[in-house]
Amino acid sequence: MTGTRPSIGIKSVAREAGVSVGTVSNVLNQPDRVSAPTRRHVQQVITRLGYVRSESARQLRAGRSRIISLLVLDMGNPFFVDIARGAEQAVREAELGVMVCNSGQSPQEETDYLALFAQQRVRGALVTPADPSGHTLGEFRRHGIPFVVIDRVGGDEEGCSVAVDDVAGGALAIRHLVSSGHRAIAFVSGPAHLKQIQDRRAGSQAALAEAGLPPESMRELPVGRLDVAAGRDAGARLLGLMERPTAVFCANDLLALGVLQSLYAAGVRVPEDMAIVGYDDIEFAAAATVPLTSVRQPAVTMGTIAAELLLQETGDRASEHRHEHVVLQPELVVRRSSMTAH
């Protein structure tokens, strides 16, 4: 015989335990109202029968979800893992759950996940946007679900945002390389539609102008993704240039680690032949074969602040909430990959 095993309901638990449905409900939701022996007996029956309460039914009774959704650009990047860690800690302390999803830097995936969040009527959403136009979030807003944008400076009066000043971060990287004597720099960027890439490029260009260097002092090598494989490809392109730059600034640390691998395999010394600066300061940056100089973003703090803002907006005092746009400052962490001047 084949078929689906019928689910065990609260009435089955009550009947098996020889108590009322109300007593089982109290054991689950208000255990202090039930005597210890009865509570233990009911819990034993719950375990034996394999009863799992319906969260959707609980949400219907409560009138709102206990789930916060988190949509990030790339869960393969430790930077976004740290954002998720910070958000999860704050959400769990509020005795709520977190649903983590990955857009893979795709606006279409972002659209699909936001539609899912609306269908599930989540309590709120934390989003690192892939769509530069803001159209998908605009559509999501129509459902009346609060959200906070992470890793993008916001100016929207209808939602909070938490970000790092990426223009300042790009400028930090280039100022460091210029002050070390570099005058021919490569910028390994990323998907052109990402606002973070645009801002890091703008900061880099501003720092060059500030130093009195022409724009052509920095040659951009765009890549389609922000991962180690794309960094290796960019490294191969660097090696093939007729006039190699003496330094390279990468839009994130995964790209920088990929570039480092390519240079190392080709016998190019870092930093003696080519200096490298990354961005994010993920844990692997300090542990690389040549410890990586990087622009640090406080990722865990970003996730925590974003979650706290969302909890304020969806909590008991939501009427007092005012939208905030928090901009944190990056920090340059200098390691061996960029310490030798030319």
Side-chain angles (χ1 to χ4, degrees):
M1 294 180 62
T2 60
T4 302
R5 178 184 176 184
S7 60
I8 303 297
I10 193 170
K11 291 182 180 178
S12 301
V13 174
R15 184 168 55 251
E16 182 71 16
V19 298
S20 69
V21 170
T23 297
V24 178
S25 178
N26 282 337
V27 169
L28 294 170
N29 302 302
Q30 303 178 80
D32 55 310
R33 292 190 173 189
V34 184
S35 68
T38 300
R39 190 164 64 241
R40 284 194 298 271
H41 173 60
V42 172
Q43 289 286 8
Q44 289 169 356
V45 172
I46 287 172
T47 300
R48 186 169 72 249
L49 295 181
Y51 167 74
V52 178
R53 60 177 162 185
S54 169
E55 182 61 28
S56 59
R58 184 181 182 187
Q59 290 176 15
L60 285 173
R61 290 192 298 272
R64 59 178 170 174
S65 172
R66 297 178 62 253
I67 299 298
I68 298 291
S69 58
L70 170 61
L71 179 60
V72 299
L73 285 176
D74 182 8
M75 280 303 292
N77 186 337
F79 169 70
F80 293 107
V81 174
D82 285 345
I83 284 179
R85 192 153 51 89
E88 181 183 30
Q89 182 178 350
V91 171
R92 291 296 297 273
E93 286 176 359
E95 298 185 344
L96 301 176
V98 184
M99 175 171 62
V100 181
C101 302
N102 176 32
S103 72
Q105 305 170 32
S106 164
Q108 184 57 56
E109 289 289 320
E110 177 177 291
T111 298
D112 294 343
Y113 272 120
L114 290 176
L116 175 64
F117 298 163
Q119 292 168 11
Q120 295 295 319
R121 301 302 301 174
V122 298
R123 186 187 190 98
L126 304 168
V127 183
T128 58
D131 177 14
S133 70
H135 176 74
T136 55
L137 282 174
E139 289 293 307
F140 184 65
R141 183 179 291 112
R142 297 191 308 167
H143 298 287
I145 298 173
F147 63 87
V148 175
V149 173
I150 308 177
D151 199 29
R152 181 180 295 179
V153 178
D156 193 333
E157 297 304 319
E158 297 185 57
C160 294
S161 66
V162 182
V164 166
D165 187 340
D166 280 320
V167 174
L172 279 176
I174 297 302
R175 284 194 196 110
H176 168 64
L177 291 173
V178 169
S179 69
S180 297
H182 297 284
R183 297 295 181 267
I185 301 169
F187 174 43
V188 178
S189 55
H193 66 272
L194 294 179
K195 185 66 163 57
Q196 297 91 328
I197 302 302
Q198 297 167 13
D199 286 350
R200 289 167 202 180
R201 179 190 301 111
S204 299
Q205 292 169 338
L208 286 175
E210 176 186 284
L213 296 174
E216 54 268 26
S217 299
M218 185 176 75
R219 176 168 182 168
E220 183 168 355
L221 298 177
V223 294
R225 296 188 61 80
L226 295 165
D227 55 27
V228 173
R232 284 195 294 266
D233 290 343
R237 287 157 62 192
L238 273 171
L239 292 169
L241 294 176
M242 291 291 292
E243 297 183 9
R244 286 185 192 171
T246 61
V248 54
F249 168 42
C250 298
N252 80 355
D253 285 342
L254 296 182
L255 290 174
L257 292 172
V259 169
L260 179 61
Q261 288 178 8
S262 287
L263 299 184
Y264 184 80
V268 176
R269 298 172 302 163
V270 175
E272 291 84 0
D273 300 326
M274 191 177 297
I276 302 178
V277 175
Y279 204 104
D280 291 339
D281 195 33
I282 62 176
E283 184 177 354
F284 299 139
T289 305
V290 179
L292 185 67
T293 294
S294 185
V295 178
R296 175 179 293 166
Q297 298 199 79
V300 174
T301 300
M302 290 170 67
T304 300
I305 293 174
E308 288 173 346
L309 288 171
L310 189 60
L311 292 170
Q312 290 171 17
E313 189 172 357
T314 61
D316 295 333
R317 302 177 67 178
S319 60
E320 301 174 17
H321 176 78
R322 297 295 178 268
H323 294 317
E324 296 182 41
H325 302 294
V326 179
V327 179
L328 304 174
Q329 290 304 306
E331 173 190 358
L332 181 71
V333 180
V334 179
R335 300 191 181 95
R336 194 160 69 86
S337 72
S338 67
M339 290 180 68
T340 299
H342 285 254

